Amino acid sequence: MRQFSNAMPDRSGGKVLPPNITRREFLYYVWAGSMILAMGGSAAAAALFAMPRWSRTRFKHFLIPFYTLPQNGDPPMLYAPMRGEPEIWLVNREDKLYAHANICTHLACRCLRWNESAKIFACPAHGTQYAADGSARGGPAPRGLDRYEYSLVNHAQEEIANTHKGEPLNLTHYANVAEVQIYPDRLILGMPRPY
Ligand code: FES
């Protein structure tokens, strides 16, 4: 009896042919591939969005004389060491010293402005606002301002105290402080915004 087979006749002349796939399967693979790419792209974008904007710097630290720091309640002071180096907002509130990065945590605009009458930092790009302590108060930024780790050092250049965990130091608790040593390559992530 004659046998019938579903196999396609081999017209390749002995060459190996790619596996047959239907149009439906082909479209499925295209769709699955584009979904994987889209999800990977979204995950990478979300990770970049949440990461701090690290600043490139050639310096291990900046030394700022203690007597030049803003006093309690003074307007924040923008410390801009030189072109291409991180800029730092020095803020003194209730004798606690903050060293905020001049980088908006929304899309990394480096153009924060202090509004003395409203007592807020404002980002002109998309309207995020931050309180003097760096907490986000409105606008699209996902977290408060990132801040730099710093130390208080005495005249012998010995470290007296350090903000290892990011908490600001109360300047009235330390004697014989000569300088503040700010580490531009040690950025501490700002607090997530409460929703
Ligand atoms: S970059 Fe500052 S609000 Fe968008």
Side-chain angles (χ1 to χ4, degrees):
M1 183 187 261
R2 188 173 175 188
Q3 297 292 313
F4 290 94
S5 164
N6 287 333
M8 296 290 289
D10 181 4
R11 298 194 180 100
S12 65
K15 293 180 202 152
V16 177
L17 292 174
N20 286 329
I21 58 171
T22 64
R23 179 184 167 83
R24 178 187 288 262
E25 287 170 331
F26 174 74
L27 290 175
Y28 171 76
Y29 288 131
V30 170
W31 173 81
S34 54
M35 287 301 288
I36 289 169
L37 279 177
M39 285 192 292
S42 305
L48 283 174
F49 187 72
M51 290 287 288
R53 272 63 177 186
W54 300 103
S55 307
R56 285 202 189 142
T57 177
R58 290 168 288 154
F59 296 90
K60 275 199 175 340
H61 58 251
F62 300 129
L63 279 173
I64 303 173
F66 189 71
Y67 68 87
T68 64
L69 295 175
Q71 301 293 304
N72 180 23
D74 282 353
M77 181 179 99
L78 183 62
Y79 177 74
M82 63 184 69
R83 192 176 168 81
E85 290 297 326
E87 296 181 343
I88 302 161
W89 281 104
L90 296 167
V91 182
N92 186 331
R93 284 295 175 274
E94 295 170 358
D95 293 314
K96 290 182 185 160
L97 180 69
Y98 299 82
H100 301 310
N102 183 29
I103 305 173
C104 180
T105 58
H106 178 220
L107 293 178
C109 171
R110 293 164 191 254
C111 51
L112 298 175
R113 299 280 175 270
W114 173 251
N115 182 325
E116 179 60 20
S117 56
K119 307 283 186 206
I120 53 158
F121 290 103
C123 177
H126 310 100
T128 292
Q129 298 180 341
Y130 304 90
D133 65 2
S135 54
R137 290 298 163 88
R143 64 178 190 274
L145 291 175
D146 301 331
R147 60 181 71 156
Y148 292 100
E149 182 180 327
Y150 68 84
S151 298
L152 304 180
V153 295
N154 62 18
H155 290 280
Q157 292 294 297
E158 295 163 339
E159 183 177 289
I160 300 171
N162 184 291
T163 60
H164 291 300
K165 295 207 163 76
E167 283 304 306
L169 297 175
N170 189 318
L171 300 178
T172 61
H173 292 179
Y174 306 95
N176 302 321
V177 182
E179 291 169 318
V180 176
Q181 188 162 282
I182 298 182
Y183 304 98
D185 58 348
R186 299 186 203 167
L187 204 55
I188 300 161
L189 213 62
M191 292 294 289
R193 198 167 146 192
Y195 288 99

